[in-house]
Amino acid sequence: DAKTTQPPSMDCAEGRAANLPCNHSTISGNEYVYWYRQIHSQGPQYIIHGLKNNETNEMASLIITEDRKSSTLILPHATLRDTAVYYCIVRVASGYQKVTFGIGTKLQVIP
Amino acid sequence: KAGVTQTPRYLIKTRGQQVTLSCSPISGHRSVSWYQQTPGQGLQFLFEYFSETQRNKGNFPGRFSGRQFSNSRSEMNVSTLELGDSALYLCASSARDRQTDTQYFGPGTRLTVL
């Protein structure tokens, strides 16, 4: 079973920030939060990951709560090309772990 | 660097047949993981190979097997195909040489079993 829960779908107006939440209340101290997205049955695309500090890259920002039980992926200016299924997973940095992606959040960016 | 490549991209088989899918990881990556994706099920972990050894396995029957070669390329095999094996099969590679180990996915192989 997935160790994360996400809303099944969200809408966002083009040009506005998209904020995608993820709950991971059973996360372990050595598990990172990773975000991927999948556009129309292509292979998932890596977006960002973090342990406990907020992270930002050219694609998105990741905000992790202080207790690490939830996080939010922020796409600052959503475009139509950001329409995709977004997956939040938790994964250890080392060692071999079975990872389940769950069903993710279907983000629809609306013109 | 070139990304993860998977061949073939599309495949049609009939029940009872077997199939072999191939994955070439990003250059320098030594770990290859395989996933199955079916509608409504999300991505289900099949197995992971590192240095030619299977390191972890998901909850799939023994009809699903894999291997990894010395150049890190990997193949997965499904024997005695069933209709329910129709899915997108994805492979992901990672370097496994630093503290955080990001997986990068290939485009997938779409398998249809008739």
Side-chain angles (χ1 to χ4, degrees):
Chain A
D1 291 337
K3 297 181 66 175
T4 61
T5 55
Q6 301 174 252
S9 64
M10 292 182 61
D11 291 338
C12 177
E14 188 178 18
R16 304 296 294 270
N19 297 283
L20 293 93
C22 179
N23 288 318
H24 31 80
S25 58
T26 61
I27 191 170
S28 302
N30 63 344
E31 287 181 320
Y32 285 72
V33 180
Y34 281 82
W35 283 83
Y36 288 82
R37 72 180 182 185
Q38 189 173 27
I39 298 173
H40 194 52
S41 294
Q42 298 176 19
Q45 177 189 24
Y46 165 76
I47 301 173
I48 198 168
H49 72 279
L51 182 62
K52 53 185 176 182
N53 298 321
N54 298 337
E55 301 287 345
T56 296
N57 64 18
E58 65 278 5
M59 291 183 67
S61 295
L62 173 61
I63 308 298
I64 303 174
T65 58
E66 191 170 344
D67 63 8
R68 303 211 320 126
K69 292 185 177 182
S70 65
S71 61
T72 301
L73 179 74
I74 301 173
L75 308 178
H77 306 286
T79 71
L80 299 179
R81 288 178 295 179
D82 292 323
T83 293
V85 177
Y86 287 77
Y87 296 99
C88 164
I89 64 168
V90 294
R91 186 162 180 259
V92 294
S94 60
Y96 300 96
Q97 181 187 40
K98 302 175 187 179
V99 176
T100 300
F101 274 62
I103 63 171
T105 296
K106 169 66 176 176
L107 175 68
Q108 183 70 49
V109 180
I110 302 169
Chain B
K1 282 185 180 179
V4 178
T5 58
Q6 294 187 244
T7 56
R9 293 293 311 278
Y10 301 91
L11 204 50
I12 299 175
K13 292 285 188 179
T14 56
R15 280 180 299 174
Q17 288 187 308
Q18 74 165 17
V19 66
T20 299
L21 312 180
S22 180
C23 173
S24 293
I26 292 171
S27 178
H29 283 192
R30 299 169 61 193
S31 169
V32 173
S33 297
W34 288 89
Y35 295 83
Q36 181 196 67
Q37 185 175 33
T38 55
Q41 292 293 318
L43 283 85
Q44 304 289 316
F45 173 78
L46 279 157
F47 28 66
E48 177 180 7
Y49 284 86
F50 178 78
S51 292
E52 303 177 63
T53 302
Q54 187 180 92
R55 304 291 178 164
N56 209 341
K57 190 176 189 303
N59 299 322
F60 280 82
R63 300 185 298 106
F64 292 81
S65 63
R67 60 178 174 169
Q68 186 179 35
F69 302 95
S70 58
N71 62 357
S72 295
R73 189 177 69 85
S74 177
E75 291 181 345
M76 68 162 283
N77 184 76
V78 187
S79 63
T80 319
L81 283 166
E82 302 177 358
L83 295 179
D85 297 332
S86 293
L88 180 67
Y89 289 88
L90 293 153
C91 103
S93 78
S94 63
R96 283 208 170 272
D97 62 358
R98 47 184 178 267
Q99 188 169 18
T100 59
D101 187 47
T102 301
Q103 290 186 319
Y104 296 90
F105 284 81
T109 294
R110 173 74 63 183
L111 172 65
T112 301
V113 182
L114 302 176

